[in-house]
Amino acid sequence: MSKLIQILLLLVLILVIGGVVFLATWDMPPPAAPVERVIPNERFGG
C-alpha cells in the first residue's frame, strides 16, 4: 500500500510541476477589444 501512495504522490507532483511550467511559459494573448466604462461624477465626490 505504501508503494501505491508513493506513486500517486509522484504523479500529483509531476502534474503540479507541469502546470506551473505551462502557466509560466504560456504566451497568452492580450484582450483584443478595449474596455470602456462610464463612471458617474457622483463617485468622485462632486
Side-chain angles (χ1 to χ4, degrees):
M1 192 68 162
S2 174
K3 198 68 150 173
L4 178 63
I5 293 174
Q6 288 178 349
I7 292 172
L8 288 175
L9 286 176
L10 181 63
L11 287 174
V12 169
L13 183 64
I14 289 172
L15 286 174
V16 168
I17 291 173
V20 169
V21 169
F22 172 74
L23 290 175
T25 59
W26 183 26
D27 190 20
M28 184 174 61
V35 176
E36 294 184 17
R37 293 198 175 116
V38 176
I39 302 174
N41 287 336
E42 291 79 28
R43 288 194 60 183
F44 296 108

